[in-house]
Amino acid sequence: MTIRDYPTTEPGAVPDPEVAAMLAVLDAGFPDVAAMSAADARAAIFARRAAPQRLPDLPSVDDVIIDGPGGALTVRVYRPHADGPPRPVIVFAHGGGFVFCDLDSHDEFCRSMAVGVGAVVVAVDYRLAPEHPGPAAHDDMLAAVRWAAEHIATYGGDPARIALAGDSAGGNLAATVALAVRDGNPPVAAQILLYPVIDDDFDTESYRRFGTGHYNTTRAMRWYWQQYAPHGTDDVRLVPTRAETLAGVAPAVVVTAELDPPCSAGDAYAARLEADGVPVRHRRYDGLFHGFLTIPSLAATQSARTEIWAMIRETLGLD
């Protein structure tokens, strides 16, 4: 069964004043990454970030080094409860165009998700492109999921209730790994795709309408894909729509943002999941833009997070 819960605002409506002001600042100030080297783009993005506040406070947050396919791989384990019964687990891949961001860039989001859902969150510091082109990031995410299945009980997590999650490029990794483990090795209870970068089709309606002037641009998206997939995107480990069928993958929560160039692809992926018999909860946020969930100062973000935590809880059988 698919649950689509679209807002009542008309598509293309002017965002509320707070959102419009934030979007204008982001659009004017975000670096033109497509004109930079990957190293310079990372430095420019890092310079814009505030120091992590390590909030909300949690009983424990542990950086753990595990064996990854490319060597040592760091995961950060967030525990929302000091004791009690085993909690569901969310293995999370951060966004950043496959090129930048890290555990600290999404620390507040992971903490808030752990609290809001009541889950143990495992954030993955996967290898970045172009130094490590795809499917390196996919392989790291898969390794982290398999580590969680074997070891997360030590951290109060339930290995029988593991969800995959990611925002933007991380949503791509969650979707591709969901395909890789649909044989049940390991079993996965859900996939949570937050404005996911599903494919490299730049001719969709949302790319045509919102490819400029809305912070995330078509120019930048083309560059990200060039860094991540320099030899093409025919591999299902890079683009989940390359799969002949999506049947048998984990139930999905798909969140998209109207003003985001990849929005149409995310909406279409939710529809294809449904067509292939996968239970889906799909929510498109009209009037909002790519990356809004990691801007906690926005009132719209706090409202959306509350709704999304509830969808995740329902999908994991917590409500």
Side-chain angles (χ1 to χ4, degrees), residues 146-162:
R146 289 179 170 158
W147 173 86
E150 294 182 11
H151 300 285
I152 203 61
T154 303
Y155 300 89
D158 181 356
R161 289 187 293 170
I162 295 177

Side-chain angles (χ1 to χ4, degrees), residues 240-265:
T241 54
R242 301 292 187 260
E244 291 185 6
T245 178
L246 305 181
V249 300
V253 173
V254 182
V255 172
T256 55
E258 180 205 6
L259 307 181
D260 179 20
C263 179
S264 294

Side-chain angles (χ1 to χ4, degrees), residues 131-312:
E131 295 86 350
H132 304 283
H138 162 97
D139 293 345
D140 287 352
M141 180 70 165
L142 179 57
V145 173
R146 289 179 170 158
W147 173 86
E150 294 182 11
H151 300 285
I152 203 61
T154 303
Y155 300 89
D158 181 356
R161 289 187 293 170
I162 295 177
L164 308 167
D167 69 321
S168 188
N172 171 286
L173 301 180
T176 58
V177 171
L179 284 163
V181 300
R182 64 174 153 181
D183 62 355
N185 180 29
V188 168
Q191 54 180 315
I192 303 155
L193 315 181
L194 308 176
Y195 31 80
V197 175
I198 291 296
D199 60 32
D200 58 346
D201 181 355
F202 306 111
D203 194 37
T204 64
E205 179 183 4
S206 56
Y207 268 105
R208 292 193 298 269
R209 294 180 63 192
F210 306 116
T212 59
H214 296 85
Y215 168 43
N216 187 28
T217 66
T218 302
R219 173 177 164 86
M221 290 300 305
R222 288 184 183 275
W223 184 80
Y224 297 142
W225 276 109
Q226 289 165 2
Q227 308 309 302
Y228 185 57
H231 305 298
T233 58
D234 289 339
D235 193 329
V236 71
R237 295 172 297 173
L238 305 181
V239 174
T241 54
R242 301 292 187 260
E244 291 185 6
T245 178
L246 305 181
V249 300
V253 173
V254 182
V255 172
T256 55
E258 180 205 6
L259 307 181
D260 179 20
C263 179
S264 294
D267 291 344
Y269 196 67
R272 184 175 166 190
L273 285 164
E274 176 189 14
D276 286 348
V278 179
V280 180
R281 286 175 169 84
H282 178 203
R283 179 75 149 88
R284 185 185 65 225
Y285 285 90
D286 289 343
L288 285 171
F289 52 87
H290 192 82
F292 75 92
L293 286 171
T294 53
I295 306 177
S297 61
L298 285 176
T301 295
Q302 294 301 327
S303 175
R305 283 184 178 185
T306 298
E307 295 171 346
I308 293 165
W309 304 156
M311 284 194 291
I312 296 172

